[in-house]
Amino acid sequence: MEVALMDNLWVIIGTFLVLLMQGGFILLEAGSTRMKNAGHIAGKTIFTISIGSLVFWAVGWGFIYGEGNGFIGMSDFFYGDSSFAGEGLAPAVDFMFQMVFALIALTIAFGGFAERAKLSAYVVFAVLFSALVYPVVAHWIWGGGWLADHGKQDFAGSTVVHLTGAMAALAATIILKPRIGKYNKDGSSNDLAGHNQVFTALGVLLLWVGWFGFNGASTFGVADSFFGFVILNTQLAAGAGAIAAMFVAWALTGKADVPTTLNGALAGLVAITAPAGFVEPWAAVIIGIIGGIIVVFSMKMFDKAKIDDPIFALSVHGTVGVWGTIANGFFAVPAFSTDIGWGQAGLFYGGGFTQLGVQIMGVVASGIYAFVVAFIILKVMDKVMGGIRVTEEEEIIGLDMSEHGGYGYPENIPNPNEKAGA
């Protein structure tokens, strides 16, 4: 009973840490965008995770973990199991932990909406993504679906959470099109710089700490203190990613760009999310370094393709999410995979190409599903709702005022009722 109590306590602490990551996303997203949209970003995050929570309770859990088939679960809707098991996790604790992961995927998806989507689009998409996109991919990999049957390894969600959210963000950026003033007629891009790098850095730090719950509590218990090993891998990869991205940016531009360094840290975290419980620390460093390098060139690639991604969700969570998942196919250790029945060892540990093939199949299938379904949903929404993008005038004014009637920084807006010197 004491072991069960400690397991439950650790996982619920992890739940709190993952939920706190939403505060990190608020600061990261607000700091990376312009002041006129800061209040909107903060507010929409709160009410969309509120919507996502209710949808996950109603159908999300059931689609993921309910009894069904290899594609989707079909039971346990409107989850209400309040029993406490003497061994293992209490059902409500498990439910809460899984819920906050779904909310992170939703927030990542909304990175593709930034600074140009109607508030109503956030509301509708929050419901549909939480019901039809995330739960299906999660069922395939974590809920006993067809990818789980093939031994797909995703310890804490490089594919399930990050790639799924990023592919939905990609669909949104394509349909919404770039922000006003982002690209010139000659194809060159303008830097619509975020208004507060300090917010962005603090947001990254909050996300970094929250990731210890994200990855660490995915052990679902305290046995053998394995969670400490997972957290060590997480820390090493994050640091390696930040350093790698900074030096790549420095080499390319002659400046140690701060936003790039911050995205490098996030890239290291995303990259190690799938392999955190499968690889050794030296491999975590390599995985983080490669993630930090990839994110720099991925950001440049999307910008050159005129895909306007203000939060760099496509690169940080998408491109690097793919790398983190595939990395298992190279670095997975037999003791953490083959010996416990979760897939096979990686190529570098004598496992051949089997696990690498499974990992590639998993990212391709999950990525295509998430993108196609999100694209269809958003396209239908765009037609039915008379457009999901705000008008040009509303975008120029800023979403704080046009969607909410007040600025997030009202003291910075001139008040016509105040007289000079009064």
Side-chain angles (χ1 to χ4, degrees):
M1 182 62 77
E2 289 184 3
V3 173
L5 176 61
M6 291 303 297
D7 288 347
N8 280 280
L9 181 60
W10 169 232
V11 175
I12 207 66
I13 289 172
T15 301
F16 298 158
L17 287 170
V18 177
L19 183 59
L20 186 61
M21 290 172 72
Q22 296 291 347
F25 275 114
I26 289 173
L27 290 171
L28 172 66
E29 193 172 341
S32 300
T33 53
R34 289 165 291 182
M35 183 183 293
K36 63 185 180 180
N37 299 310
H40 163 79
I41 285 167
K44 65 87 181 168
T45 301
I46 298 300
F47 67 70
T48 54
I49 66 172
S50 300
I51 293 169
S53 298
L54 295 177
V55 175
F56 188 83
W57 164 71
V59 297
W61 171 273
F63 285 152
I64 299 171
Y65 295 107
E67 294 182 6
N69 51 52
F71 183 79
I72 196 168
M74 292 299 293
S75 66
D76 297 324
F77 301 121
F78 295 95
Y79 186 83
D81 189 343
S82 60
S83 63
F84 177 75
E87 298 293 335
L89 293 181
V93 172
D94 190 18
F95 175 85
M96 281 297 301
F97 189 60
Q98 298 301 331
M99 175 193 283
V100 292
F101 275 66
L103 300 180
I104 293 294
L106 177 62
T107 300
I108 292 168
F110 283 144
F113 288 58
E115 297 203 295
R116 56 212 192 271
K118 292 178 180 178
L119 186 67
S120 56
Y122 283 99
V123 174
V124 176
F125 191 73
V127 174
L128 297 176
F129 177 87
S130 299
L132 302 177
V133 181
Y134 176 82
V136 174
V137 176
H139 177 76
W140 289 357
I141 299 171
W142 288 346
W146 69 276
L147 283 174
D149 290 341
H150 282 84
K152 170 74 161 63
Q153 296 170 347
D154 192 358
F155 190 78
S158 288
T159 297
V160 174
V161 177
H162 297 283
L163 180 60
T164 300
M167 295 308 288
L170 175 60
T173 60
I174 292 172
I175 291 173
L176 286 164
K177 298 182 172 55
R179 293 167 293 171
I180 295 172
K182 176 60 180 174
Y183 297 108
N184 302 311
K185 291 182 178 179
D186 62 2
S188 60
S189 66
N190 299 308
D191 182 18
L192 304 182
H195 81 280
N196 196 322
Q197 284 189 6
V198 176
F199 275 13
T200 306
L202 182 56
V204 169
L205 183 60
L206 283 173
L207 288 166
W208 192 325
V209 174
W211 233 286
F212 295 152
F214 200 92
N215 288 357
S218 291
T219 59
F220 294 102
V222 298
D224 302 322
S225 299
F226 186 59
F227 66 89
F229 178 81
V230 170
I231 290 173
L232 170 62
N233 280 344
T234 302
Q235 180 71 11
L236 293 174
I243 293 169
M246 183 187 75
F247 278 109
V248 169
W250 206 342
L252 293 175
T253 67
K255 301 292 182 182
D257 183 63
V258 172
T260 301
T261 304
L262 298 174
N263 283 321
L266 293 176
L269 290 163
V270 171
I272 199 60
T273 298
F278 293 103
V279 304
E280 295 182 285
W282 70 267
V285 173
I286 300 300
I287 291 167
I289 289 172
I290 295 175
I293 294 170
I294 286 173
V295 79
V296 177
F297 291 101
S298 178
M299 291 188 296
K300 292 181 178 297
M301 177 190 71
F302 281 115
D303 191 41
K304 187 169 290 188
K306 298 185 181 61
I307 296 176
D308 185 15
D309 180 20
I311 318 301
F312 303 110
L314 308 182
S315 297
V316 171
H317 302 281
T319 309
V320 178
V322 170
W323 157 241
T325 305
I326 291 175
N328 274 3
F330 295 108
F331 298 104
V333 178
F336 303 151
S337 55
T338 306
D339 293 354
I340 61 174
W342 194 349
Q344 300 298 315
L347 178 65
F348 299 152
Y349 286 85
F353 290 95
T354 301
Q355 195 61 45
L356 184 61
V358 170
Q359 299 300 100
I360 293 172
M361 177 177 66
V363 296
V364 170
S366 300
I368 290 174
Y369 175 84
F371 175 79
V372 170
V373 176
F375 189 89
I376 292 171
I377 289 171
L378 288 165
K379 201 68 177 176
V380 172
M381 286 171 54
D382 196 42
K383 295 293 185 183
V384 172
M385 298 171 63
I388 59 174
R389 180 167 176 159
V390 297
T391 66
E392 182 174 333
E393 180 183 5
E394 290 170 334
E395 186 175 340
I396 292 170
I397 292 171
L399 301 185
D400 281 10
M401 183 59 71
S402 65
E403 293 290 285
H404 305 281
Y407 284 107
Y409 296 95
E411 68 276 11
N412 292 323
I413 307 302
N415 186 343
N417 297 319
E418 290 182 349
K419 295 180 180 180

